[in-house]
Amino acid sequence: MASPYPPIERNTPLRVEAACVSEQADDQTLLRVDSINKQYADQVVLANIAFDIQAGEIVGIIGPNGAGKTTVLEVLAGILPAETSDVHWLGRPLPPSRRREAMFYLPDGVRPYQDQPVTRVLSFFADVYRKSTDEITNTIQATGLTPVLHKRVHSLSKGYGRRLMLALGLLTPHPLLLMDEPFDGFDLRQIREIVGVLRAEAAMGRTFVLAIHQLLDAERVCDRFILLADGRVRGAGMLNDLRARTELTSGTLEDIFLALT
């Protein structure tokens, strides 16, 4: 069925600031994915991917390695072309060329400006997005980067590299952050710290879509789940909704995933 809304044209201001405040977006879906299909030659990688995201929630795309989680994020962010990529932002079609205005993608295993000190990289991002000194300080404290501010990016441990990427994402004005494996390299205590940061941001209306393969990590942080296997959505909803669907009244996310896949 054709959308009643015209597509967002290149010169039309994108309503991203209002989407940061959950009270202004409660009656609307922030992001709706109607259809994503991706294939390489004859191999189908993603098939009929569809889901929606509400403002101020943390959604986990859950699945084993090779399920297609990273591909979903890359198509969604407009980085990777796909056969179909039908995405709506606050009810209006959002073409791939404009998605970087609404969402910021934090990939797995990437460290920008590796020869630069952490403090310089943070300052550069803060300058780009016109963040105040207080905002930089609060972000550094929230992500626990103080001990490594003067280290060069290439010398950071895996965990601190993740913290830096999260800090850069938090310094952007984008209302939606896409994060690929955000807890990889963290121990349980560190995961709890980062979960606290994400929860605080979500309480202020920011929205997160996280690709996670560790199901226990997903249970700790996510409000809703999109279960992905073999490039297809096998289930979506809150944990209790998924339990009801599988009749596993006290099942863990792992139990539910196994039942649905």
Side-chain angles (χ1 to χ4, degrees), residues 7-240:
I8 297 174
E9 301 297 337
R10 181 168 296 277
N11 294 325
T12 302
L14 190 61
R15 293 168 56 200
V16 296
E17 294 301 330
C20 289
V21 182
S22 59
E23 290 81 4
Q24 296 181 19
D26 279 344
D27 60 343
Q28 286 186 297
T29 296
L30 178 67
L31 183 80
R32 189 179 80 241
V33 178
D34 288 329
S35 177
I36 289 178
N37 291 277
K38 173 67 179 175
Q39 65 182 61
Y40 294 106
D42 295 330
Q43 180 184 3
V44 175
V45 180
L46 300 175
N48 300 318
I49 301 297
F51 56 86
D52 60 68
I53 307 293
Q54 306 300 319
E57 70 175 350
I58 302 174
V59 175
I61 300 179
I62 311 304
N65 292 330
K69 303 186 299 299
T70 297
T71 306
V72 168
L73 294 187
E74 290 179 345
V75 172
L76 189 57
I79 296 171
L80 184 67
E83 281 64 39
T84 60
S85 182
D86 189 2
V87 175
H88 289 70
W89 180 267
L90 291 173
R92 301 184 67 185
L94 182 62
S97 62
R98 297 211 60 188
R99 292 182 192 168
R100 295 185 187 184
E101 298 174 42
M103 59 191 85
F104 191 84
Y105 174 47
L106 299 169
D108 181 21
V110 172
R111 296 191 188 186
Y113 314 109
Q114 294 209 20
D115 290 332
Q116 297 297 322
V118 170
T119 183
R120 185 172 296 177
V121 175
L122 292 170
S123 296
F124 173 74
F125 258 67
D127 287 345
V128 168
Y129 295 112
R130 299 179 181 179
K131 296 295 182 177
S132 68
T133 301
D134 286 344
E135 288 175 305
I136 301 173
T137 300
N138 291 339
T139 300
I140 289 171
Q141 291 176 346
T143 54
L145 284 171
T146 303
V148 297
L149 285 178
H150 300 292
K151 287 189 174 184
R152 297 189 182 275
V153 172
H154 69 77
S155 69
L156 297 179
S157 67
K158 190 173 186 179
Y160 274 116
R162 294 282 179 180
R163 290 174 185 268
L164 174 60
M165 290 298 292
L166 174 58
L168 297 180
L170 296 181
L171 286 171
T172 72
H174 298 73
L176 173 59
L177 294 186
L178 311 176
M179 305 175 67
D180 194 2
E181 300 293 353
F183 306 117
D184 194 19
F186 289 151
D187 60 28
L188 180 58
R189 178 185 60 81
Q190 293 167 334
I191 289 172
R192 287 173 176 168
E193 291 174 357
I194 298 304
V195 166
V197 174
L198 300 184
R199 282 285 173 206
E201 288 287 318
M204 294 186 289
R206 204 160 203 181
T207 308
F208 296 88
V209 176
L210 315 177
I212 307 174
H213 77 276
Q214 294 290 349
L215 302 186
L216 287 177
D217 294 344
E219 282 194 60
R220 293 185 182 101
V221 65
C222 298
D223 300 308
R224 288 195 301 119
F225 307 92
I226 298 163
L227 308 185
L228 195 68
D230 300 321
R232 291 171 170 80
V233 174
R234 305 296 184 169
M238 293 185 291
L239 192 57
N240 286 338

Side-chain angles (χ1 to χ4, degrees), residues 234-255:
R234 305 296 184 169
M238 293 185 291
L239 192 57
N240 286 338
D241 297 332
L242 295 170
R243 283 171 176 159
R245 178 177 170 182
T246 58
E247 299 182 356
L248 296 171
T249 56
S250 60
T252 65
L253 187 58
E254 182 177 5
D255 296 331

